[in-house]
Amino acid sequence: MAEQEDIRKLLKRYLAGECTPEERTRVEQWYSELDIRMEKPAEEVVEADLAEIRNRLAPPPLRRTKLWYRYAAAVVAVFVIAIAAYKLNPTEGLKNREHAEIISNPQDIAPGGNRAVLKLADGSEITLNSSPNGEIAQEGAHAIYKNTDGELIYQLANTDRNSAEDPVFNTLQTPRGGQYHLVLPDSTKVWLNASSKLTYTLNSPTKERLVKLEGEAYFEVTKNPNRPFRVESKGQVVEVLGTAFNINSYSDESAVKTTLVDGAVRVAGTTKRESVVLQPGQQAVLDRHNRLSIKPTDLMAAIAWKHGKFSFKQADIGVVMRQLSRWYDVEVVFKGKKPNIMLSGEVYRNTHASKVLEILSFYNLTCRIETVNGVKQIIIQ
């Protein structure tokens, strides 16, 4: 047991970057020898192992290392270390980590899900998560459907009315703890993150397709050179012809971030007359002083939410906790001074809050979940 405890402490120091050169060599050599002793697993075995690890342990700081060729670029060192630690004690595994500083609480918070409200042109509202599948409304010349996959889809039902009617505006709004997938009348796909709002017209008489965003959304725009697509959000306008990109424009964040996945977009500030053109893999940052800049970015981290994950890479703890606050619909309270640390890790969003919070235990932080005056809180100290 003492030897096992020493190994745990060593691995924790390794993940935190606090090992001496000799200790680092020891860990990496030990893992290298472990690889040699173990047979290369089948792909489905690897996936099963990773699923087991994710269920047992939220990933601590990411640190890549040499892995088997089948998943060399897909797994971080924490998963490998978790496998090794589990094999040291296969009966208890990692579920009873003695030094985990997450305080168990029956008030654990379930993850968010497909929840949204659709506001129609006449002001009526439809709560999508409680409405049946199939056609849910008629809006001008369009029929609105909710399908079995939780998508909201517009279909043109009357072409004669479409050319004659006045512009029809709809708004899709997700609450804290909600997300939704929308297919616009032009077939553009939009994924709306938690606590976000998208306003759009069904039949714009102009030559542009204009939507307004508050919060965060991922867009896959249908190409139409004759009708450029524009997104207005918190002091900026993004202009595209057909491409895939993400905009993070929450009011409580210090900057608006536009990340280009495919194609090309122009990002223009509405206060200062400046604009930038993005290439795939670049991110435009509009800061609180309306200064616009371009920086390279990690695409997978920027759009991880769209793929059902939290992905943090040297992220300020405040940024991380605001993401958790929106997804779990919970207040975050720092007891004392907010820690000045950067967090790295990757966790699936379909887990309870306590699993995601396990990442903080690797930074010597204690957190608990409480209900105060009917409001659930994550308290960190």
Side-chain angles (χ1 to χ4, degrees), residues 18-124:
E18 298 173 352
C19 278
T20 65
E22 292 77 13
E23 289 174 331
R24 180 175 298 279
T25 299
R26 177 186 170 195
V27 172
E28 293 174 353
Q29 182 177 3
W30 171 74
Y31 172 66
S32 176
E33 292 172 353
L34 182 68
D35 277 353
I36 296 173
R37 293 196 302 268
M38 300 173 71
E39 297 179 358
K40 292 177 180 177
E43 196 163 357
E44 59 271 18
V45 174
V46 171
E47 290 301 321
D49 282 348
L50 295 182
E52 174 69 13
I53 293 162
R54 291 180 187 119
N55 288 334
R56 291 176 177 274
L57 178 66
L62 296 175
R63 190 176 199 84
R64 298 197 178 277
T65 186
K66 294 182 179 179
L67 303 177
W68 293 304
Y69 70 97
R70 283 190 180 273
Y71 59 114
V75 186
V76 292
V78 58
F79 292 153
V80 178
I81 292 172
I83 291 174
Y86 178 65
K87 290 180 181 295
L88 284 174
N89 192 349
T91 302
E92 295 184 6
L94 294 170
K95 61 184 178 181
N96 293 322
R97 292 167 55 219
E98 295 178 6
H99 293 280
E101 297 183 42
I102 302 302
I103 300 174
S104 298
N105 194 305
Q107 301 182 93
D108 201 355
I109 306 169
N114 289 332
R115 304 184 184 103
V117 173
L118 174 65
K119 185 175 182 179
L120 302 177
D122 63 3
S124 61

Side-chain angles (χ1 to χ4, degrees), residues 118-185:
L118 174 65
K119 185 175 182 179
L120 302 177
D122 63 3
S124 61
E125 297 183 349
I126 301 173
T127 302
L128 297 177
N129 40 295
S130 60
S131 64
N133 296 326
E135 184 174 333
I136 59 173
Q138 282 278 345
E139 190 72 302
H142 292 81
I144 309 175
Y145 295 88
K146 174 190 170 186
N147 67 18
T148 55
D149 294 326
E151 296 174 323
L152 189 66
I153 299 174
Y154 288 81
Q155 291 186 358
L156 188 61
N158 188 330
T159 55
D160 293 334
R161 291 186 60 190
N162 187 54
S163 59
E165 63 188 9
D166 293 330
V168 175
F169 291 90
N170 281 186
T171 297
L172 183 67
Q173 185 166 4
T174 56
R176 290 161 60 90
Q179 62 181 12
Y180 223 83
H181 181 200
L182 165 69
V183 182
L184 294 171

Side-chain angles (χ1 to χ4, degrees), residues 82-378:
I83 291 174
Y86 178 65
K87 290 180 181 295
L88 284 174
N89 192 349
T91 302
E92 295 184 6
L94 294 170
K95 61 184 178 181
N96 293 322
R97 292 167 55 219
E98 295 178 6
H99 293 280
E101 297 183 42
I102 302 302
I103 300 174
S104 298
N105 194 305
Q107 301 182 93
D108 201 355
I109 306 169
N114 289 332
R115 304 184 184 103
V117 173
L118 174 65
K119 185 175 182 179
L120 302 177
D122 63 3
S124 61
E125 297 183 349
I126 301 173
T127 302
L128 297 177
N129 40 295
S130 60
S131 64
N133 296 326
E135 184 174 333
I136 59 173
Q138 282 278 345
E139 190 72 302
H142 292 81
I144 309 175
Y145 295 88
K146 174 190 170 186
N147 67 18
T148 55
D149 294 326
E151 296 174 323
L152 189 66
I153 299 174
Y154 288 81
Q155 291 186 358
L156 188 61
N158 188 330
T159 55
D160 293 334
R161 291 186 60 190
N162 187 54
S163 59
E165 63 188 9
D166 293 330
V168 175
F169 291 90
N170 281 186
T171 297
L172 183 67
Q173 185 166 4
T174 56
R176 290 161 60 90
Q179 62 181 12
Y180 223 83
H181 181 200
L182 165 69
V183 182
L184 294 171
D186 69 340
S187 297
T188 289
K189 298 178 180 179
V190 185
W191 285 260
L192 207 59
N193 204 351
S195 191
S196 300
K197 181 167 73 172
L198 187 76
T199 300
Y200 47 95
T201 178
L202 277 60
N203 57 337
S204 175
T206 67
K207 290 186 177 181
E208 68 177 13
R209 296 168 286 170
L210 176 65
V211 303
K212 296 182 179 181
L213 171 69
E214 298 176 21
E216 183 169 23
Y218 179 87
F219 296 83
E220 290 183 357
V221 178
T222 299
K223 292 184 179 180
N224 186 339
N226 298 319
R227 298 189 67 213
F229 192 95
R230 289 160 52 96
V231 184
E232 292 185 359
S233 61
K234 196 182 173 185
Q236 72 170 30
V237 178
V238 177
E239 300 180 356
V240 303
L241 291 177
T243 185
F245 58 99
N246 190 84
I247 299 177
N248 183 317
S249 63
Y250 286 110
S251 60
D252 58 353
E253 297 294 347
S254 61
V256 181
K257 297 179 180 179
T258 304
T259 306
L260 183 63
V261 177
D262 181 60
V265 300
R266 179 183 298 277
V267 181
T270 56
T271 301
K272 296 182 178 180
R273 292 189 175 182
E274 59 177 339
S275 64
V276 296
V277 177
L278 296 183
Q279 300 300 319
Q282 291 182 330
Q283 184 178 85
V285 179
L286 180 69
D287 67 20
R288 63 183 60 190
H289 302 292
N290 295 308
R291 294 176 299 206
L292 195 58
S293 61
I294 296 179
K295 69 174 186 179
T297 191
D298 186 313
L299 287 180
M300 295 311 297
I303 65 172
W305 70 269
K306 186 239 179 188
H307 298 290
K309 296 180 180 179
F310 293 107
S311 183
F312 311 123
K313 296 191 177 180
Q314 289 299 294
D316 178 80
I317 189 172
V319 173
V320 171
M321 299 314 296
R322 284 193 294 275
Q323 286 192 41
L324 301 189
S325 174
R326 287 189 285 264
W327 182 238
Y328 291 100
D329 188 14
V330 63
E331 291 184 356
V332 176
V333 177
F334 290 96
K335 290 291 187 181
K337 186 178 179 181
K338 184 180 75 173
N340 183 24
I341 59 175
M342 309 296 281
L343 303 181
S344 296
E346 189 171 279
V347 187
Y348 279 97
R349 287 180 16 140
N350 63 355
T351 60
H352 278 62
S354 62
K355 288 295 182 183
V356 181
L357 293 173
E358 284 184 2
I359 193 173
L360 300 182
S361 68
F362 289 89
Y363 295 86
N364 296 319
L365 296 175
T366 298
C367 58
R368 63 183 182 274
I369 299 171
E370 292 185 353
T371 299
V372 180
N373 295 326
V375 178
K376 286 198 172 182
Q377 295 182 341
I378 295 173

